[in-house]
Amino acid sequence: MSLYAVSRGSQKHMCSDKTKNSPKVELRSAQWFGTRDKNGFMYRSWMKNQGFPEHQFEGKPVIGICNTWSELTPCNAHFREIAERVKRGVYEAGGLPVEFPVFSTGESNLRPTAMLTRNLASMDVEESIRGNPIDAVVLLTGCDKTTPALLMGAASCDVPAIVVTGGPMLNGKHKGKDVGSGTLVWQMHEDYKAGKVSLDEFLSAEASMSRSAGTCNTMGTASTMASMAESLGTSLPHNAAIPAVDSRRYVLAHMSGMRIVEMALEGLSLSKILTPEAFRNAIRTNAAIGGSTNAVIHLKAIAQRIGVDLSLDDWQKYGKGVPTIVNLQPSGKYLMEDFYYAGGLPAVLRELGELGVLEKEALTVNGKTIWENVKDAECYNRDVIREPENPLVDSGGICILRGNLAPRGAVLKPSAATPELMKHRGRAVVFDNFDDYKTRIMDPDLDIDENCVMVMKNCGPKGYPGMAEVGNMGLPPKILQKGVTDMVRISDARMSGTAFGTVVLHVAPEAMDLGPLAAVEDGDMIELDAENGVLHLDIDDAELASRLDRLKDTEMIASTGGYVELYRKHVLQADEGCDFDFLVGCRGAKVPAHSH
Ligand code: FES
């Protein structure tokens, strides 16, 4: 497919004689392996127990392969084979590949939520790179949080880095229909609660939804973040969409291995790729693909690590007005496999370029600008990748909301919402936390109708450590049974990228930090006006202040000890990317002193 059309030039470029030339920068690894003394002896000797011959230590770039492989992260369980293909490329280009494991934050198994350990994984990545003889790094990413975690860690070191994603699963197939990861679960479970399908029928879809290696095949957070990595310029073209089991995924891994050797020799570090232009391109791309709201948090965290100023308002400024042209679930119809066959992300980036909203000079890891990479990309299916004149959603950018209920902002994904609910005033039905929601939502006597606004508190970064993906609260059965499928929902939580609905998320400050969300009471009226970016709690300022004042005396979070304690003490709010306060910034890759 078009992988070759786009990247043949890159392949030629990657196979140039440059790799045989002297490095343009001093290789970090020389400070381990490059000296003929006691220290050099010790560093080389222990490595030789793996069977590396002497010539491997004679000035070759050492390429770290940062692997999030784990059988507990099913989306990344095929990564050892991908790492092998990267190694082939590194050897072919004259480098020395060294694979190392980092904490694998798997979305489906890890409790309470993989987001709790995104920052932990990023610390693991950062310290593994800085403390080891690594000149450049290949980041093997897949499941949702592994992409931001690895980019955050590498950005804090500012070494040359290239992302290789594991790729999405093949289309799910259930009873003759294509079904999407996650999205099927949300839809079928609502049908089950409404009495439309039996429990056995619901459970029978498990195996058919996930039938190959890879990440979620919808435009969920994993596919969104893979697309963000590609639009940021941190991966080779087509990295986001090639299915995990397609042999072209291995070609891409091999070629990325070749290219990273050149990047090490050129000193093409992440700060030359992760520029303000690159982030603006990513924001526009997110709008065009109907990407996950989680990207708002992750891009902010990555930008802060590399020293780029990115605010919530940038999402409004650069994303608003960009049409959603990728017709993928949960916003649309198709799945990632279809997206790749239709032309993948290069075809979308070309449309953005033609529309005049792509900053074409942004540099990418293959040494070319993003426009050079995509200007000849083709679309092979105009129902999957729509023409901008015939979009899925006219203005697909993430909508940023502010008001007395969210002074530091909240987000809403228009492409997943119901247009009629984007301007809505309704009576609040309040759940104090996720447990309270679960306890009461099935109660037939719950005082709620479809015009109400469901509000859930205490699910933000500190309130539900990790800010779980529970913001897309399922509707009460009695409302589903009426055939209603969406209501306005508001919380300080996140939402799975595979989910849908008119769901206001990431309200900041969170309730646990005594943001105004903490003061909402049953019966208050709430106004949502997405077009004008307003989220308003209809009580006067004095009443709001008085309610928050009373809450000051309520018991705050109990001490838990361990990592969760560290997390709660140092996590920043959603508008600041939920990073730890002490991790913000680029600390570089200065080689630490010898210990022997
Ligand atoms: Fe891993 Fe969706 S659960 S990508």
Side-chain angles (χ1 to χ4, degrees):
M1 295 288 297
S2 52
L3 165 67
Y4 298 103
V6 171
S7 54
R8 246 184 207 143
S10 325
Q11 191 169 13
K12 186 161 171 263
H13 176 62
M14 286 189 291
C15 294
S16 70
D17 287 340
K18 279 194 214 166
T19 52
K20 299 192 179 75
N21 294 344
S22 306
K24 291 182 184 155
V25 291
E26 190 186 340
L27 293 177
R28 298 179 79 246
S29 58
Q31 296 190 47
W32 277 262
F33 304 135
T35 59
R36 293 182 59 76
D37 59 9
K38 183 198 79 178
N39 285 322
F41 174 105
M42 294 183 77
Y43 291 125
R44 287 186 299 270
S45 174
W46 264 269
M47 286 295 279
K48 283 178 178 175
N49 80 348
Q50 298 176 80
F52 291 120
E54 180 64 26
H55 71 270
Q56 295 285 4
F57 300 102
E58 293 173 350
K60 290 176 184 289
V62 177
I63 306 300
I65 301 173
C66 181
N67 201 343
T68 47
W69 169 84
S70 168
E71 287 177 342
L72 289 167
T73 304
C75 317
N76 298 15
H78 59 300
F79 277 20
R80 288 192 289 190
E81 184 59 36
I82 290 180
E84 285 306 313
R85 303 306 177 122
V86 173
K87 283 182 192 174
R88 289 187 192 180
V90 172
Y91 278 126
E92 186 178 344
L96 171 60
V98 283
E99 185 182 348
F100 63 98
V102 290
F103 188 90
S104 188
T105 57
E107 199 70 26
S108 59
N109 281 328
L110 204 54
R111 292 184 181 191
T113 164
M115 183 62 178
L116 180 66
T117 46
R118 182 200 66 174
N119 297 347
L120 178 68
S122 79
M123 292 163 75
D124 188 351
V125 174
E126 179 181 346
E127 299 307 324
S128 294
I129 293 172
R130 188 178 296 113
N132 276 302
I134 289 173
D135 297 309
V137 65
V138 178
L139 307 172
L140 299 192
T141 68
C143 198
D144 301 16
K145 307 303 178 288
T146 56
T147 306
L150 270 54
L151 274 170
M152 288 160 70
S156 279
C157 294
D158 194 19
V159 291
I162 193 166
V163 171
V164 175
T165 302
M169 289 187 255
L170 296 176
N171 289 4
K173 297 280 181 187
H174 185 63
K175 296 193 171 173
K177 286 193 183 140
D178 282 359
V179 293
S181 317
T183 303
L184 172 83
V185 182
W186 313 125
Q187 284 168 339
M188 273 191 94
H189 194 242
E190 295 290 76
D191 285 350
Y192 165 62
K193 276 163 48 187
K196 294 183 194 165
V197 299
S198 69
L199 181 61
D200 283 347
E201 196 173 340
F202 171 56
L203 297 178
S204 73
E206 282 174 10
S208 30
M209 186 181 79
S210 311
R211 63 188 191 90
S212 83
T215 53
C216 290
N217 54 25
T218 43
M219 187 51 81
T221 304
S223 299
T224 297
M225 290 313 297
S227 301
M228 294 296 91
E230 189 171 328
S231 60
L232 283 166
T234 58
S235 75
L236 293 182
H238 281 292
N239 175 62
I242 303 172
V245 296
D246 191 309
S247 58
R248 289 163 288 194
R249 175 64 53 191
Y250 291 143
V251 175
L252 183 130
H254 186 119
M255 291 164 69
S256 298
M258 292 177 69
R259 176 58 193 155
I260 192 69
V261 176
E262 282 198 356
M263 289 173 69
L265 294 170
E266 294 166 4
L268 182 56
S269 58
L270 266 177
S271 58
K272 296 179 180 122
I273 309 287
L274 291 175
T275 58
E277 295 78 13
F279 283 98
R280 293 195 288 264
N281 282 339
I283 286 173
R284 294 163 180 131
T285 303
N286 187 274
I289 63 176
S292 164
T293 46
N294 284 320
V296 179
I297 291 175
H298 298 322
L299 284 192
K300 173 67 177 172
I302 296 164
Q304 281 181 157
R305 293 293 189 100
I306 203 76
V308 168
D309 190 20
L310 188 75
S311 73
L312 273 186
D313 293 330
D314 288 330
W315 286 84
Q316 196 77 17
K317 194 166 166 189
Y318 300 107
K320 195 170 183 185
V322 176
T324 299
I325 56 173
V326 176
N327 187 8
L328 255 60
Q329 296 181 31
S331 303
K333 177 176 168 191
Y334 295 99
L335 296 166
M336 286 299 286
E337 194 184 340
D338 310 305
F339 183 41
Y340 178 55
Y341 302 149
L345 200 69
V348 176
L349 293 171
R350 179 179 174 174
E351 294 290 1
L352 294 180
E354 306 280 0
L355 274 177
V357 296
L358 187 75
E359 292 185 57
K360 296 177 176 176
E361 297 308 310
L363 186 64
T364 73
V365 286
N366 65 3
K368 298 181 179 183
T369 67
I370 197 150
W371 186 241
E372 286 175 317
N373 283 339
V374 306
K375 63 183 167 46
D376 298 320
E378 290 179 64
C379 176
Y380 306 107
N381 185 330
R382 277 301 181 187
D383 197 34
V384 177
I385 302 172
R386 300 273 190 93
E387 274 147 340
E389 311 77 63
N390 177 33
L392 200 63
V393 179
D394 287 337
S395 178
I398 301 284
C399 180
I400 304 299
L401 304 164
R402 291 185 195 275
N404 68 348
L405 190 47
R408 284 170 52 182
V411 305
L412 172 72
K413 180 176 169 180
S415 62
T418 303
E420 300 75 42
L421 288 174
M422 298 280 275
K423 187 171 172 62
H424 183 79
R425 178 181 158 88
R427 170 173 63 87
V429 175
V430 180
F431 303 98
D432 276 337
N433 51 46
F434 189 50
D435 283 341
D436 183 34
Y437 160 77
K438 283 191 294 186
T439 305
R440 293 165 52 214
I441 195 64
M442 305 299 276
D443 182 353
D445 295 327
L446 183 67
D447 182 15
I448 191 167
D449 62 51
E450 57 271 36
N451 297 313
C452 288
V453 173
M454 295 168 70
V455 175
M456 184 163 61
K457 306 176 181 178
N458 297 311
C459 293
K462 294 178 187 172
Y464 190 137
M467 198 181 173
E469 293 184 330
V470 293
N472 55 314
M473 293 167 266
L475 307 191
K478 64 180 182 183
I479 290 180
L480 289 168
Q481 281 152 13
K482 287 195 226 172
V484 175
T485 55
D486 196 10
M487 289 171 63
V488 174
R489 291 157 268 179
I490 299 173
S491 74
D492 45 12
R494 295 178 301 114
M495 169 172 95
S496 165
T498 62
F500 49 86
T502 310
V503 185
V504 176
L505 303 154
H506 309 182
V507 169
E510 64 174 302
M512 188 56 78
D513 244 10
L514 285 188
L517 186 68
V520 183
E521 294 178 0
D522 276 331
D524 289 342
M525 295 305 288
I526 292 179
E527 292 167 21
L528 166 67
D529 180 354
E531 176 59 28
N532 292 303
V534 174
L535 188 64
H536 181 72
L537 177 63
D538 199 4
I539 61 174
D540 65 38
D541 293 348
E543 171 64 11
L544 178 57
S546 149
R547 286 188 195 176
L548 288 173
D549 208 42
R550 285 200 299 274
L551 286 167
K552 273 191 187 138
D553 296 329
T554 51
E555 195 183 336
M556 288 301 287
I557 313 159
S559 175
T560 56
Y563 174 73
V564 174
E565 183 90 3
L566 174 91
Y567 186 93
R568 279 178 153 156
K569 280 188 176 145
H570 292 284
V571 72
L572 298 168
Q573 289 293 287
D575 60 319
E576 298 172 307
C578 298
D579 203 355
F580 291 155
D581 49 11
F582 60 88
L583 289 176
V584 169
C586 179
R587 287 163 283 282
K590 188 166 180 291
V591 175
H594 293 291
S595 59
H596 46 71

